[in-house]
């Protein structure tokens, strides 16, 4: 059974409620990966899910720990979550660069996918900040230097650009998305789906003995409306993507 680690897709919101002279705060916690996790569960994969705050502590530190998985998917989780664990940020101690370990794991045969979002690739105000990290060396795309979001509230439609195991049986045209991230495929990469202005949506490549995938949009609100995540092609595409990333 293909073993998949999904990291990210969680956040907390702190609100300040002001009522005249008085105010109070409330805190809410949310997760946004239900559609993706549901698709993988339906495909019979062995999935481990680490929300952002869990991944900060428990994401694998060594190649041996990563060897427990065939595929790693990062979705809406910034580089600092991996680079600044408490040992380093609070205590000033040297720790393992987990993005370098993940890079080496891919080159040795692992399958890595990065899904778009406000804390993916470069992200909002470039705060995801993967450009220049060791992980950027194995992504199938070159990242922009700043905020790479393309907000499209009017809706943008993507289409297949060729045949591939990941997109077999998927409709040639996709339901509308509400935004994505701009990046440029590397010279050896293959674009499997693109928007009507030719901006890439889905890009793949082989790296050493491993495989990588970049998906420019989100797998949940707000860029991916229910019309998209309820589409049969969403489930088919992600099940086949994980199978391909695993080399199967």
């Amino acid at each position: 059974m293909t073993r998949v680690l999904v990291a990210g897709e969680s956040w907390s919101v702190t609100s300040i409620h002001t009522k005249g002279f008085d105010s109070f705060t409330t805190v809410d916690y949310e997760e946004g990966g239900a559609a993706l996790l549901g698709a993988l569960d339906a495909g019979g994969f062995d999935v481990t899910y680490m929300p952002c705050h869990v991944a900060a502590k428990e994401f694998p530190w060594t190649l041996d720990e990563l060897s427990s998985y065939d595929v790693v998917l990062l979705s809406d989780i910034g580089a600092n979550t991996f680079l600044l664990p408490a040992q380093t940020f609070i205590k000033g101690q040297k720790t393992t660069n987990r993005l370098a370990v993940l890079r080496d794991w891919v080159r040795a045969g692992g399958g890595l996918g990065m899904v778009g979002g406000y804390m993916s690739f470069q992200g909002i105000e470039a705060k995801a900040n993967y450009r220049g990290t060791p992980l950027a060396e194995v992504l199938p795309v070159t990242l922009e230097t700043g905020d790479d979001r393309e907000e499209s509230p009017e809706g943008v439609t993507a289409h297949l650009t060729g045949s591939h195991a990941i997109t077999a049986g998927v409709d040639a045209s996709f339901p509308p998305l509400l935004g994505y991230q701009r990046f440029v495929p590397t010279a050896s990469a293959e674009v499997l789906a693109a928007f009507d202005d030719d901006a890439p949506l889905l890009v793949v490549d082989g790296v050493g003995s491993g495989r990588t995938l970049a998906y420019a949009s989100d797998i949940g609100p707000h860029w991916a409306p229910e019309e998209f995540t309820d589409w049969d092609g969403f489930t088919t595409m992600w099940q086949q993507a994980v199978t391909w990333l695993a080399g199967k």
Side-chain angles (χ1 to χ4, degrees):
M1 181 180 292
T2 300
R3 302 159 298 175
V4 186
L5 172 59
V6 179
E9 283 300 333
S10 70
W11 61 94
S12 62
V13 178
T14 302
S15 301
I16 301 175
H17 306 254
T18 302
K19 299 187 176 185
F21 183 87
D22 300 298
S23 68
F24 62 92
T25 60
T26 59
V27 178
D28 189 26
Y29 171 79
E30 298 183 35
E31 295 177 355
L36 176 62
L37 295 172
L40 299 184
D41 183 64
F45 300 106
D46 181 5
V47 179
T48 299
Y49 171 51
M50 290 186 183
C52 294
H53 63 285
V54 175
K57 294 182 178 181
E58 298 182 11
F59 192 87
W61 294 85
T62 66
L63 286 173
D64 186 56
E65 291 175 350
L66 274 172
S67 69
S68 298
Y69 305 99
D70 302 299
V71 175
V72 172
L73 297 179
L74 304 182
S75 185
D76 224 346
I77 180 170
N80 282 333
T81 299
F82 303 104
L83 296 173
L84 295 173
Q87 300 96 307
T88 298
F89 184 67
I90 297 174
K91 299 180 180 180
Q93 298 174 351
K94 291 194 300 181
T95 51
T96 300
N97 186 325
R98 288 181 286 183
L99 295 184
V101 174
L102 188 54
R103 172 202 61 194
D104 296 343
W105 173 80
V106 171
R107 288 174 172 166
L112 170 70
M114 183 174 285
V115 180
Y118 271 30
M119 281 294 158
S120 297
F121 301 108
Q122 282 294 88
I124 187 169
E125 300 175 359
K127 288 182 176 178
N129 201 28
Y130 279 97
R131 181 183 171 91
T133 68
L135 197 65
E137 299 172 22
V138 294
L139 290 176
V141 295
T142 300
L143 306 184
E144 292 191 358
T145 56
D147 189 319
D148 56 3
R149 294 170 302 135
E150 190 71 33
E151 298 288 356
S152 305
E154 73 281 11
V156 287
T157 303
H159 57 273
L160 298 182
T161 56
S163 59
H164 192 278
I166 292 177
T167 54
V170 175
D171 295 340
S173 294
F174 295 8
L177 290 160
L178 303 181
Y180 60 92
Q181 279 159 311
R182 301 179 300 271
F183 46 52
V184 177
T186 59
S188 60
E190 182 177 359
V191 179
L192 306 187
F195 295 100
D196 290 340
D197 63 357
D198 294 328
L201 170 63
L202 179 59
V203 184
V204 297
D205 201 2
V207 181
S209 299
R211 297 178 174 188
T212 59
L213 174 153
Y215 182 76
S217 196
D218 209 339
I219 45 80
H222 69 275
W223 281 349
E226 288 186 4
E227 178 185 358
F228 193 92
T229 56
D230 289 343
W231 169 52
D232 289 342
F234 177 89
T235 296
T236 300
M237 182 171 63
W238 280 109
Q239 290 177 353
Q240 293 176 167
V242 167
T243 298
W244 181 82
L245 284 171
K248 299 179 180 179

